[in-house]
Amino acid sequence: MKDTTVVFFLCICIVFLICVVFYQQFTFRTGTQAKLREISDKLKKIIETDSDEQVMVFTDNKELIELAAQINELLEKHLKIKADYRHSQIASKKMLSNISHDIKTPMTVILGYLEIMQLSETISAEMLKKVEDKAQGVMGMIDQFFTLSKIESGDMDIALSKVDICEICRESVLDFYELLSSKNFQVNIDIPEMPVFVQGNKEALQRILFNLISNVIRYGADGKYLGLSLKNEERNVYVEVTDKGKGIDQMFADSIFDRLFTMEDSRNRKIQGNGLGLTIAKNLAVCLGGDITLESIPYVKTTFTIQLKKSYFKMFERNL
């Protein structure tokens, strides 16, 4: 009788433990389902309202915590994409507005001169020259818009080869020699005599340097100084274009390479560009596998640094 009681008691304990286990599993399952439903409802609300909220879940379940963290990471990426899209929309609207203004202004001048010439009995050579200059300016502007569009869309074919960056630097400075002399610029060139080969494209590098030197003449003219130096390191080559003019305020440093950016204190049409030169230079440098950075201390030193990859074509040729 005593053994029977013990067995009965043990059976009751086993049944009780089984019930506890099943209850715990049921509670865990229903609790997990409730938390998943809570997360789902919150995510649905965020999507429907397009809010910037995140999913919050209060639980000790590590899997649910990890799931909520991954969902929040996706939501943060979504917010970044949304913010970039809005920024792109604003930039596009600004670009269209500036394009319209920058093309309309010289075209109005051209039409005005043409009207004067039609009413005049004699055609002035000086007036014809002004019309030609304005027309060339419009064509140059359209060419820059077209170039930037091709670069950003990936339609520009830039073939990479081994090029001597020293020679390109010398040629670029010589192209501006007369203009720099007429403006009484002090020119300081620090380029090695021996060739330094980079992975690049001659036309693209010429355009980059043309835009940077033009920028010095346009915005750094107060300093009457142009410096062009080259640093040859193990993996990269750095070309520095320097002026000592009014420089670029720190608040503009992150925007200077943006499309159509022009500093508000430089709205004088005699010196103002269309805001594309530095953008094209930056994009071309990136296409070559490099970059352009800026450091500026107003009236002390403003330097644009072109970073380029050294050429390894020579190494490959040796292995052939």
Side-chain angles (χ1 to χ4, degrees):
M1 186 70 179
K2 189 175 180 181
D3 291 341
T4 305
T5 303
V6 171
V7 171
F8 178 73
F9 180 74
L10 288 174
C11 288
I12 291 176
C13 289
I14 291 170
V15 170
F16 177 75
L17 289 173
I18 292 172
C19 290
V20 169
V21 170
F22 276 112
Y23 176 76
Q24 286 180 335
Q25 289 181 344
F26 173 77
T27 304
F28 176 79
R29 189 180 302 111
T30 53
T32 302
Q33 289 176 345
K35 291 297 181 183
L36 286 172
R37 194 178 302 110
E38 181 183 339
I39 291 173
S40 176
D41 292 342
K42 183 64 177 178
L43 189 58
K44 183 179 179 181
K45 181 182 177 182
I46 291 172
I47 293 172
E48 288 178 348
T49 60
D50 197 26
S51 71
D52 298 343
E53 297 179 74
Q54 289 192 331
V55 172
M56 301 293 292
V57 56
F58 300 97
T59 179
D60 295 329
N61 189 313
K62 292 182 179 179
E63 285 75 15
L64 287 178
I65 294 173
E66 178 65 22
L67 176 62
Q70 291 182 4
I71 290 173
N72 287 331
E73 187 176 345
L74 286 173
L75 288 172
E76 286 179 3
K77 290 181 179 179
H78 170 70
L79 286 176
K80 185 178 183 304
I81 291 171
K82 187 168 68 173
D84 289 344
Y85 175 71
R86 288 174 180 170
H87 178 74
S88 177
Q89 280 189 315
I90 294 170
S92 295
K93 289 178 181 178
K94 182 180 178 182
M95 181 180 70
L96 289 173
S97 175
N98 286 352
I99 289 173
S100 175
H101 177 269
D102 286 344
I103 292 180
K104 183 179 179 180
T105 301
M107 288 303 297
T108 302
V109 175
I110 290 171
L111 291 173
Y113 280 135
L114 290 174
E115 185 177 352
I116 293 171
M117 285 190 289
Q118 284 179 338
L119 296 174
S120 176
E121 295 182 358
T122 59
I123 298 177
S124 167
E126 181 183 355
M127 197 168 291
L128 278 175
K129 184 66 171 60
K130 289 180 178 179
V131 171
E132 182 184 1
D133 289 343
K134 289 293 181 182
Q136 291 290 350
V138 172
M139 289 302 298
M141 196 182 306
I142 293 172
D143 177 64
Q144 284 197 316
F145 283 123
F146 182 64
T147 299
L148 182 59
S149 176
K150 288 183 68 177
I151 295 172
E152 292 187 339
S153 65
D155 290 338
M156 179 172 280
D157 183 21
I158 302 178
L160 298 180
S161 62
K162 182 177 74 172
V163 294
D164 179 8
I165 186 61
C166 295
E167 185 62 25
I168 293 174
C169 287
R170 293 190 195 96
E171 290 176 358
S172 297
V173 174
L174 285 173
D175 287 341
F176 285 91
Y177 178 77
E178 290 185 6
L179 182 58
L180 291 167
S181 297
S182 67
K183 292 181 176 292
N184 298 317
F185 267 70
Q186 176 191 349
V187 180
N188 184 20
I189 307 298
D190 184 11
I191 301 171
E193 293 293 331
M194 298 296 292
V196 175
F197 295 103
V198 297
Q199 172 184 292
N201 176 280
K202 185 174 182 179
E203 289 74 22
L205 289 169
Q206 286 174 332
R207 181 123 193 200
I208 291 171
L209 287 167
F210 177 89
N211 289 355
L212 292 181
I213 296 173
S214 296
N215 188 76
V216 168
I217 296 171
R218 180 176 294 118
Y219 295 111
D222 292 348
K224 299 293 182 182
Y225 176 87
L226 168 67
L228 185 65
S229 63
L230 187 147
K231 295 180 181 179
N232 186 8
E233 298 188 357
E234 184 179 355
R235 292 182 176 273
N236 297 308
V237 173
Y238 298 90
V239 179
E240 296 183 346
V241 180
T242 303
D243 70 75
K244 296 181 180 180
K246 62 184 176 182
I248 297 165
D249 195 282
Q250 190 61 38
M251 66 182 294
F252 296 128
D254 294 333
S255 306
I256 198 69
F257 296 105
D258 290 351
R259 286 181 298 175
L260 299 161
F261 174 83
T262 51
M263 292 177 290
E264 291 303 319
D265 61 348
S266 300
R267 299 308 292 182
N268 187 335
R269 299 304 302 182
K270 292 182 179 179
I271 64 172
Q272 182 200 356
N274 55 35
L276 290 177
L278 293 179
T279 309
I280 291 173
K282 175 88 167 181
N283 278 271
L284 285 174
V286 171
C287 288
L288 298 177
D291 197 8
I292 299 180
T293 55
L294 165 69
E295 291 184 9
S296 181
I297 302 174
Y299 295 104
V300 177
K301 185 179 181 182
T302 295
T303 301
F304 287 92
T305 302
I306 311 166
Q307 176 189 327
L308 300 168
K309 291 182 179 179
K310 293 189 73 171
S311 174
Y312 294 99
F313 288 96
K314 193 172 183 179
M315 180 194 306
F316 298 149
E317 288 169 1
R318 288 175 179 173
N319 293 334
L320 293 176

